[in-house]
Amino acid sequence: MFNLYSLKGGLDNVQGFFCDGVNVGMKTTPKNDGDVAFIRSEIPCDVSARFTSNRFQAAPIKHYQQYPDGFQTNFILMNAKNANAMTGAKGVEDIEAIFKELEKYQPLQNPIMSSTGVIGYRLNQKKITSAFDKFDFNAKSSDKTARSIMTTDSFKKELCFKIEMDDGTEFTIGAICKGAGMINPAMATMLCFIVTDAKIPKKDMEELLSEATEGSFNRISVDGDTSTNDTIMLLANGASQGYNKEAFREALNKITFELAMMILKDGEGSNKLVAFEVKGARSDEEARKASIALSNSLLVKTALFGEDPNWGRIASTIGASGIECDDTTLTIQYDNLLIYSNEQRELDQEREEKAYKIMKNSSFRVTCDLGLAEGSYTSYGCDLSYEYVKINAEYRT
Amino acid sequence: MFNLYSLKGGLDNVQGFFCDGVNVGMKTTPKNDGDVAFIRSEIPCDVSARFTSNRFQAAPIKHYQQYPDGFQTNFILMNAKNANAMTGAKGVEDIEAIFKELEKYQPLQNPIMSSTGVIGYRLNQKKITSAFDKFDFNAKSSDKTARSIMTTDSFKKELCFKIEMDDGTEFTIGAICKGAGMINPAMATMLCFIVTDAKIPKKDMEELLSEATEGSFNRISVDGDTSTNDTIMLLANGASQGYNKEAFREALNKITFELAMMILKDGEGSNKLVAFEVKGARSDEEARKASIALSNSLLVKTALFGEDPNWGRIASTIGASGIECDDTTLTIQYDNLLIYSNEQRELDQEREEKAYKIMKNSSFRVTCDLGLAEGSYTSYGCDLSYEYVKINAEYRT
């Protein structure tokens, strides 16, 4: 058995990891946020990563994929404001040149780069390498690191869990993450770096990271778009010597789910977090299709913003999702309130008022039971506000 | 050979058809618009129809489907404000009761009902049948009829073409249509009624309506949602005795394409009409996937609204669409301006300014050549503005 508890901060509690973030003039507002950051480990780490399904993977991902299977690393360099995507062979060459410069400051073993920002422009090597004089390579500044990778994020995202085993051993998992817009099931536009001092075998890292990603980042949708740079990465340096698979699974699932919910709460201009639970489908896959159609639907998202208990848009979106469904077996609930069933099709005033109260909450659950079989899936979405349009019409400028 | 020319009005020029629209108090604004309307033919008509792919088809569609193959009709009754969708068996019974009442006014042969509006409420039979005393059953009021089926539409949509054959015969095609929001490739939320006095064989009606729908309504996207009520219907009464297949094909393709563009221009809160041409794909189907991903992407739509020549979002959306693509063979053009190619990845200031000028236009073309093979497809989309969110947050109230 084990105890799992949450610590303040993010990466800073994890043994053997150091991190810092500085501003080299790419981000001009807010002034105190950095735009270049690093995470390093004094002991070489095993690494497991999941990348975007976008065919146009950014240069940092291509650079990563040049390393052989099972490679170890001791350094991740990160930058905001420029995604280094659609930059062709030059994009990878720029990374190599930057690391050549970084080697003058730090011993590097298979260093990894990760970028976020605008697509289609080459990195400014000079600006990025100017960070190296400013970095404190022995800092444990998780806050500055988390702030440095923010783009349209309105708050920084970091988390840490410590696990104490009954036999007295312990280990820690810390993470930082960024993401607000362009968030879609099947990888959000997001960067997430999870570091641990657990002595986790490489094959467990792969298995547990896949499971955690599927249960978290793959289930959230802000706007249905998938970026060129999405990355989730787990680094383990074994510094603590402690490890237990079930405990690690629980902590990793918790950390990724909570970070995913933070991204959704920070969905550009969003005010509400809604769980779309679809059950009673012919298969989990059909439930997933309907659930994701709901979290992506513009009409559902605007109805959420308008706090209109318009279940017709929910039903119509399920009907349009291409799955088997039947309006006589379907039921729709908002939290525990039955809002549609074959017997109660029209919304009377009492239920409408109750529904309206539920929709006023900053988070609630929509449950659609198709009444056909046992397939189920839950995805998470948010509303679409004027603010989303404003942020995305003006981004880049 | 033949001459095709456009006439003022819509349904009113077509021999043997009558139509009218009246207000029975369901629509309260604007005051002069009707909410119940009809189209009738003095000669029974052949009919061909395409309905929504939404699994929850509305009651009027279920009612239509009760008629045997090859049935003829002489009457379509239409209403706005209530979609009669998700109303179960009662929804169809309500239609039957309404037609029972209508029979007291007009001889009916397999009458058809068509509804648009809010989902989840039963029709108000009393209000709808109160229209029958107000109708002028011998009117040719295409304008009033077109206005009566409007919901969030900001302008009425009607068109008419006359075809004169070299042998002196002639025929006419007229149409009305509604649709603004909830417009998605694979049937828009729209009603479209096309009537003709051509002596067109039933099998040509089916073939040509399928072709025309695929080239028009199936290619437009306002918000990626598909409704419960989408209907496109072609009625032919043969009153003119004239017909030529090629001439009819051209006129029908033209009428449906122009109506589809009207819907897009009226896309809720939209200001720009953009053609997304994808070519050079491995197949037409892959080109279609990428093209529709572009016309549905929230990030592309908000970039259009912001008039930001941010081709990165175009590229990223293609990359995320699940098709085969390669950033070294891809080119992107706005109208005739090359905006991205392997050789010219970064947008210099001169091209950025030119791109910005193109995006200021109320319509333009984005051409993405994947450079892989010969597959191509064009779909049509619009921008996403604050106004869209406002309209859809407030609709129903």
Side-chain angles (χ1 to χ4, degrees):
Chain A
M1 298 299 293
F2 57 88
N3 290 313
L4 183 154
Y5 49 94
S6 149
L7 300 182
K8 272 199 177 175
L11 310 172
D12 42 334
N13 302 295
V14 188
Q15 285 183 57
F17 285 96
F18 302 90
C19 56
D20 196 13
V22 298
N23 184 301
V24 299
M26 297 189 296
K27 239 184 229 174
T28 50
T29 164
K31 291 256 186 268
N32 54 332
D33 280 352
D35 40 31
V36 184
F38 76 85
I39 301 172
R40 73 172 191 89
S41 169
E42 52 190 359
I43 312 166
C45 300
D46 280 336
V47 53
S48 175
R50 297 294 172 276
F51 296 113
T52 181
S53 59
N54 196 303
R55 293 284 302 195
F56 296 133
Q57 292 185 323
I61 300 176
K62 291 181 188 165
H63 174 262
Y64 177 100
Q65 287 162 342
Q66 293 177 349
Y67 292 131
D69 279 354
F71 77 97
Q72 290 194 309
T73 185
N74 66 352
F75 207 96
I76 306 177
L77 182 67
M78 295 160 277
N79 74 278
K81 294 299 280 182
N82 185 327
N84 192 8
M86 300 298 286
T87 45
K90 296 282 181 204
V92 177
E93 288 166 23
D94 288 340
I95 295 171
E96 284 161 355
I98 287 166
F99 283 138
K100 202 162 178 188
E101 186 62 25
L102 181 58
E103 252 174 348
K104 298 176 189 166
Y105 294 76
Q106 278 289 310
L108 296 179
Q109 181 173 347
N110 302 321
I112 295 165
M113 181 125 196
S114 190
S115 301
T116 180
V118 175
I119 294 170
Y121 295 88
R122 285 181 62 187
L123 291 177
N124 185 326
Q125 282 189 33
K126 214 169 151 184
K127 277 199 174 168
I128 288 176
T129 55
S130 76
F132 304 159
D133 274 330
K134 298 184 174 184
F135 280 151
D136 174 355
F137 287 102
N138 294 312
K140 280 179 157 288
S141 303
S142 182
D143 172 79
K144 284 188 192 167
T145 310
R147 288 185 178 282
S148 295
I149 57 173
M150 287 165 63
T151 52
T152 54
D153 303 61
S154 65
F155 58 88
K156 69 154 184 192
K157 297 163 188 73
E158 57 174 356
L159 274 180
C160 185
F161 289 109
K162 183 164 195 168
I163 295 94
E164 288 182 350
M165 312 300 301
D166 284 353
D167 65 5
T169 60
E170 57 180 42
F171 58 89
T172 308
I173 307 180
I176 60 168
C177 167
K178 68 119 331 199
M182 226 186 188
I183 302 297
N184 183 40
M187 283 317 255
T189 289
M190 44 146 302
L191 303 179
C192 177
F193 303 99
I194 308 163
V195 303
T196 183
D197 50 28
K199 201 165 175 58
I200 177 173
K202 181 76 194 314
K203 74 167 180 34
D204 287 4
M205 289 173 71
E206 296 294 341
E207 176 192 335
L208 298 181
L209 186 64
S210 286
E211 179 188 315
T213 303
E214 165 50 30
S216 59
F217 301 115
N218 281 358
R219 291 182 182 238
I220 57 172
S221 173
V222 173
D223 55 22
D225 275 289
T226 304
S227 96
T228 50
N229 290 58
D230 304 329
T231 296
I232 168 164
M233 206 171 274
L234 172 61
L235 267 70
N237 67 4
S240 79
Q241 300 295 319
Y243 178 65
N244 170 282
K245 188 171 178 179
E246 283 321 301
F248 196 90
R249 183 199 305 270
E250 185 172 325
L252 187 65
N253 286 347
K254 207 171 162 66
I255 217 163
T256 52
F257 187 79
E258 289 191 16
L259 288 171
M261 292 305 116
M262 284 187 198
I263 288 177
L264 207 50
K265 277 181 196 146
D266 200 12
E268 288 167 352
S270 92
N271 305 292
K272 279 178 207 309
L273 190 160
V274 183
F276 292 101
E277 178 184 15
V278 175
K279 58 187 191 181
R282 287 195 308 185
S283 66
D284 290 348
E285 177 55 25
E286 290 210 344
R288 194 188 67 81
K289 267 193 190 168
S291 174
I292 284 173
L294 288 168
S295 53
N296 277 339
S297 162
L298 271 181
L299 285 168
V300 170
K301 289 163 94 68
T302 48
L304 293 177
F305 176 61
E307 295 173 345
D308 180 356
N310 196 341
W311 63 263
R313 293 189 185 173
I314 304 274
S316 177
T317 302
I318 292 173
S321 69
I323 66 155
E324 183 65 34
C325 50
D326 180 334
D327 63 348
T328 64
T329 59
L330 175 71
T331 63
I332 301 173
Q333 281 183 230
Y334 289 0
D335 283 345
N336 292 320
L337 177 72
L338 182 69
I339 201 153
Y340 169 86
S341 71
N342 188 39
E343 291 71 35
Q344 285 195 296
R345 285 172 177 261
E346 287 196 20
L347 207 55
D348 56 42
Q349 203 180 336
E350 190 194 331
R351 284 190 301 144
E352 175 142 1
E353 276 163 20
K354 282 184 185 166
Y356 183 68
K357 268 185 201 154
I358 291 169
M359 296 191 78
K360 283 271 182 201
N361 295 330
S362 63
S363 74
F364 60 97
R365 173 170 295 259
V366 174
T367 303
C368 303
D369 188 339
L370 300 175
L372 301 175
E374 300 302 315
S376 68
Y377 196 89
T378 302
S379 71
Y380 302 86
C382 59
D383 57 338
L384 179 75
S385 67
Y386 305 131
E387 200 57 21
Y388 175 89
V389 178
K390 185 164 157 34
I391 291 168
N392 282 290
E394 291 172 4
Y395 186 56
R396 212 193 64 147
T397 48
Chain B
M1 297 298 293
F2 57 89
N3 290 313
L4 183 156
Y5 49 93
S6 148
L7 300 182
K8 272 198 177 177
L11 311 172
D12 43 334
N13 301 295
V14 189
Q15 285 182 56
F17 285 97
F18 303 89
C19 56
D20 196 13
V22 298
N23 184 302
V24 299
M26 296 189 295
K27 239 184 228 174
T28 50
T29 162
K31 290 257 187 268
N32 54 334
D33 280 352
D35 41 30
V36 183
F38 75 86
I39 302 171
R40 74 173 191 90
S41 168
E42 53 190 0
I43 311 166
C45 300
D46 281 337
V47 53
S48 175
R50 296 294 172 275
F51 296 113
T52 181
S53 59
N54 196 302
R55 293 284 302 193
F56 296 133
Q57 291 185 323
I61 299 176
K62 291 182 188 165
H63 175 261
Y64 177 99
Q65 286 163 342
Q66 292 176 349
Y67 292 132
D69 280 353
F71 77 97
Q72 290 194 310
T73 184
N74 65 353
F75 208 96
I76 306 177
L77 183 66
M78 294 160 279
N79 74 278
K81 295 298 281 182
N82 185 328
N84 193 8
M86 300 297 287
T87 45
K90 296 281 181 206
V92 176
E93 287 167 24
D94 288 340
I95 295 170
E96 282 161 356
I98 287 166
F99 283 139
K100 203 162 178 185
E101 186 62 26
L102 182 59
E103 251 174 350
K104 299 175 187 166
Y105 293 77
Q106 278 289 310
L108 296 179
Q109 182 174 347
N110 302 322
I112 295 165
M113 181 124 197
S114 191
S115 301
T116 181
V118 174
I119 293 169
Y121 294 89
R122 286 181 60 187
L123 291 178
N124 185 326
Q125 282 190 33
K126 212 168 153 185
K127 278 198 174 169
I128 288 176
T129 55
S130 76
F132 304 159
D133 274 330
K134 298 183 174 185
F135 280 151
D136 173 356
F137 288 103
N138 294 313
K140 280 179 158 290
S141 303
S142 182
D143 173 79
K144 284 188 193 166
T145 309
R147 288 184 179 282
S148 296
I149 57 173
M150 287 165 62
T151 52
T152 54
D153 302 61
S154 64
F155 58 88
K156 69 153 185 193
K157 298 163 187 75
E158 58 174 356
L159 275 179
C160 186
F161 289 109
K162 183 164 195 169
I163 295 93
E164 288 181 352
M165 312 299 302
D166 284 354
D167 65 5
T169 60
E170 57 179 42
F171 58 90
T172 308
I173 307 180
I176 60 168
C177 167
K178 68 121 328 200
M182 226 186 188
I183 302 297
N184 183 40
M187 284 315 256
T189 290
M190 43 147 303
L191 303 178
C192 177
F193 304 99
I194 308 162
V195 303
T196 182
D197 50 27
K199 203 166 172 58
I200 177 173
K202 181 76 194 315
K203 72 167 180 34
D204 286 6
M205 290 173 70
E206 297 293 342
E207 176 192 337
L208 299 181
L209 187 63
S210 285
E211 178 187 316
T213 303
E214 166 49 31
S216 59
F217 301 115
N218 281 359
R219 289 181 183 239
I220 57 172
S221 173
V222 172
D223 55 21
D225 274 288
T226 305
S227 97
T228 50
N229 290 56
D230 303 330
T231 296
I232 167 163
M233 206 172 274
L234 171 61
L235 268 69
N237 67 7
S240 79
Q241 300 296 319
Y243 178 65
N244 170 281
K245 189 171 177 179
E246 284 320 301
F248 196 91
R249 183 200 304 270
E250 185 172 325
L252 187 64
N253 286 348
K254 208 171 161 66
I255 217 164
T256 52
F257 188 79
E258 289 191 16
L259 288 171
M261 292 304 117
M262 283 187 199
I263 289 177
L264 207 50
K265 277 180 195 147
D266 201 11
E268 289 167 354
S270 92
N271 305 291
K272 280 180 207 308
L273 192 160
V274 183
F276 293 101
E277 179 185 15
V278 175
K279 59 187 190 182
R282 287 195 308 184
S283 66
D284 289 349
E285 177 54 25
E286 291 210 343
R288 195 188 66 81
K289 265 193 191 170
S291 174
I292 284 174
L294 288 168
S295 54
N296 276 340
S297 162
L298 272 181
L299 285 168
V300 171
K301 290 164 93 68
T302 47
L304 294 176
F305 176 62
E307 293 171 347
D308 180 356
N310 195 341
W311 63 263
R313 292 188 186 174
I314 306 272
S316 177
T317 302
I318 292 173
S321 69
I323 66 155
E324 183 64 35
C325 51
D326 180 334
D327 64 348
T328 64
T329 60
L330 174 72
T331 64
I332 301 173
Q333 281 183 230
Y334 289 0
D335 283 345
N336 293 320
L337 176 72
L338 181 69
I339 201 153
Y340 168 87
S341 72
N342 189 39
E343 291 71 36
Q344 285 195 297
R345 286 173 178 259
E346 286 196 20
L347 208 55
D348 56 41
Q349 203 181 336
E350 190 194 331
R351 285 190 300 143
E352 174 144 0
E353 275 164 18
K354 282 184 186 166
Y356 183 68
K357 269 186 200 152
I358 291 168
M359 295 191 79
K360 283 270 184 202
N361 296 330
S362 63
S363 74
F364 60 96
R365 174 171 294 259
V366 173
T367 303
C368 304
D369 188 339
L370 300 176
L372 301 174
E374 300 301 316
S376 68
Y377 195 89
T378 301
S379 72
Y380 302 86
C382 59
D383 57 337
L384 179 75
S385 67
Y386 306 131
E387 200 57 21
Y388 175 89
V389 179
K390 186 166 156 40
I391 292 168
N392 281 289
E394 290 171 5
Y395 187 56
R396 212 192 66 146
T397 48

